Amino acid sequence: MNPTLLDTLPRDRLPALLQAMPKAELHIHIEGSLEPELIFALAERNGVTLPYPGVEALRAAYAFTDLQSFLDIYYAGASVLLKEDDFFDMAMAYFRRAAADNVVHAELFFDPQTHTDRGVPFETVINGLTRACQTAREELGVSALLIMCFLRHLSEEAAFDTLAQATPYLDRITGVGLDSGERGNPPEKFARVFARCRELGLRLVAHAGEEGPAEYIRAALDVLNVERIDHGVRCVEDPALVARLAAQRIPLTVCPLSNVKLCVVGTMADHNLATLLDAGLCATVNSDDPAYFGGYINQNFLEAFAALPQLNARHAHTLARNSFDASFVDGDTKGRWRDRLDAVFERAAS
Ligand code: HPA
Ligand code: ZN
């Protein structure tokens, strides 16, 4: 594509372009897409009593001070998920939002331990989610993969037990990740389980450098052998690490609204997204837990670009291209999506 197009596009055309450009979402916890309305609908369907009188009261509780204050409410919200259809309905609601945001591919995190620890069989979770992934492809034209996350506040033994439960379904699971409370739960705790997942041919990612230090990013790379870092924004505290991430082209799945809502940064104007891109890092923009953090992927793009005047059409194109490059699909598919991206930019500039 003509490189000068990217430098001449007026800033006021950016919001429409951010909306229209095809993109992949690589950091979305599907349980974090449960909107309060659906939480209450599922609670009623399943006879679950919630500790909030209604949708407004629940939404009013979404004032987080850190990651843990969010996780407490997030796990409470997930308690309404009991049946295969609940997981299907949750994921389909996300896919419809994603399609409206021109997401052509999504890699969904799911947290089996949040459900199996409540007595919901692993099979129920995986069947609902895989049926939704198939329906999304057929009815919405959105491609999707599943990444199973281990909860890092739980033990290594619990992670191995979850992997054993997943074993009959590994053909439906592309990779594994590591989420939940980061501080005090360093990557090393899961070295052996990640080594086993690698032997099984699973792709590897991990949350690191969200609330935890840059050292956790190094450990995720060196000890867990992950291919992508989820969040990773605290890498800037270690310039040698930034240089390494750029040289090795390790993708970071950045989630701007999440970082603001969980007080990882003060305001969106303080976010380092532009710094990461200008340092040559393969950063992407994602929604993390969109029902809790104030918006889906396009809202993240719009708010970040509105608050950071350095970001321009070239950054927008780079972010969308990075999302395809960093995805776990084959090279031909990435190439087709990159061509679609270029076509949208060329049309916008003409
Ligand atoms: N960080 C860690 N764990 C999570 C998150 C997050 O942003 N969202 C859901 N689980
Ligand atoms: Zn996350």
Side-chain angles (χ1 to χ4, degrees), residues 46-48 78-87 118 120-121 124:
N46 289 329
V48 174
S79 70
V80 300
L81 297 161
L82 295 179
K83 304 276 171 23
E84 184 182 316
D85 275 349
D86 304 339
F87 291 90
R118 298 181 289 113
V120 178
T124 300

Side-chain angles (χ1 to χ4, degrees), residues 27-29 109 179 207 210 230-231 255 258 288-289 293:
H27 187 157
I28 157 78
H29 301 264
F109 291 140
D179 65 1
H207 283 54
E210 177 189 19
D230 296 312
H231 292 295
C255 306
S258 167
D288 206 5
D289 299 282
F293 298 152

